[in-house]
């Protein structure tokens, strides 16, 4: 174990625990994080890089995405991002990192699904929940992806098409 590995491991733990704020935060994750700090991982720097350090133009794109938030009768919240959205703001897909986690914090959402159209004719589906009775990894695995109970995802071929008040994958 060295500083570089400690930073990578801490980043994984930090993001999976929502910045040490969700139910994945327990004595084991905190013990491991403590050890990683001893090896040089900085929680403050990881927090800045993963959760805080967003450009104004990135937040404007996120704002546009948030105006599209839809809720199903099951309490599932979803939003989508097209390639034209990303191009309009002069950004790339890396500027969307953290969006699913951010939206996943909504109090009245049972689960959040974010669909992102990529350049290679793929739709990346990112799912988050804070509810213990929902297992997103089952859906992700069924669709050829993976993850864990509260944060999972998969990709499927297609393109997002906006139709009236909904979006479809074609």
């Amino acid at each position: 174990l060295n500083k570089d590995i400690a930073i990578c491991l801490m980043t994984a733990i930090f993001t999976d625990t929502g910045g040490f704020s969700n139910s994945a935060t327990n004595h084991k994750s905190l013990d491991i994080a403590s050890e990683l700090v001893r090896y040089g991982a900085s929680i403050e720097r990881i927090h800045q890089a993963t959760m805080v350090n967003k450009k104004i133009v990135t937040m404007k794109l996120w704002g546009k995405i948030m105006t599209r938030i839809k809720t199903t009768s099951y309490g599932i919240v979803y939003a989508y991002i097209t390639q034209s959205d990303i191009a309009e703001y002069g950004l790339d897909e890396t500027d969307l990192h953290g969006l699913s986690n951010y939206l996943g914090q909504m109090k009245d959402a049972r689960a959040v699904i974010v669909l992102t159209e990529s350049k290679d004719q793929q739709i990346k589906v990112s799912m988050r929940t804070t509810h213990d009775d929902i297992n997103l990894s089952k859906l992700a695995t069924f669709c050829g992806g993976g993850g864990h109970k509260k944060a999972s995802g998969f990709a499927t071929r297609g393109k997002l098409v906006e139709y009236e008040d909904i979006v479809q994958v074609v």
Side-chain angles (χ1 to χ4, degrees):
L1 190 63
N2 61 39
K3 182 177 180 178
D4 291 336
I5 293 170
I7 291 168
C8 292
L9 292 172
M10 179 70 85
T11 301
I13 292 170
F14 187 83
T15 56
D16 275 357
T17 61
F20 300 109
S21 66
N22 66 30
S23 63
T25 305
N26 56 38
H27 74 280
K28 289 180 184 177
S29 61
L30 293 171
D31 286 347
I32 293 167
S34 176
E35 187 66 20
L36 295 172
V37 168
R38 284 188 195 87
Y39 279 90
S42 168
I43 294 173
E44 178 186 4
R45 292 180 87 185
I46 291 167
H47 179 259
Q48 288 293 321
T50 60
M51 295 187 164
V52 177
N53 201 14
K54 305 289 183 208
K55 299 179 279 190
I56 291 172
V57 69
T58 300
M59 297 310 294
K60 287 182 178 184
L61 173 59
W62 283 30
K64 180 178 184 173
I65 295 162
M66 287 182 209
T67 66
R68 295 182 182 148
I69 290 174
K70 306 287 185 219
T71 305
T72 72
S73 59
Y74 299 104
I76 308 299
V77 173
Y78 67 94
Y80 64 93
I81 305 106
T82 65
Q83 273 299 303
S84 62
D85 294 331
I86 295 168
E88 176 185 344
Y89 290 86
L91 299 170
D92 61 44
E93 291 175 38
T94 61
D95 292 295
L96 300 171
H97 290 182
L99 178 62
S100 297
N101 288 332
Y102 182 77
L103 294 177
Q105 297 175 32
M106 284 188 274
K107 181 179 181 178
D108 49 353
R110 298 223 0 102
V112 171
I113 300 172
V114 177
L115 302 115
T116 305
E117 187 177 66
S118 66
K119 290 180 182 178
D120 59 356
Q121 299 294 310
Q122 295 259 348
I123 308 298
K124 295 179 181 175
V125 181
S126 179
M127 303 179 293
R128 301 291 185 271
T129 188
T130 58
H131 293 267
D132 292 332
D133 63 330
I134 297 174
N135 186 343
L136 298 172
S137 68
K138 288 183 179 183
L139 176 59
T141 301
F142 179 79
C143 295
H148 52 84
K149 186 176 177 177
K150 295 186 177 193
S152 295
F154 63 92
T156 187
R157 300 227 17 102
K159 182 171 177 57
L160 293 176
V161 176
E162 297 167 278
Y163 179 74
E164 294 181 10
D165 200 28
I166 61 170
V167 64
Q168 296 177 338
V169 177
V170 294

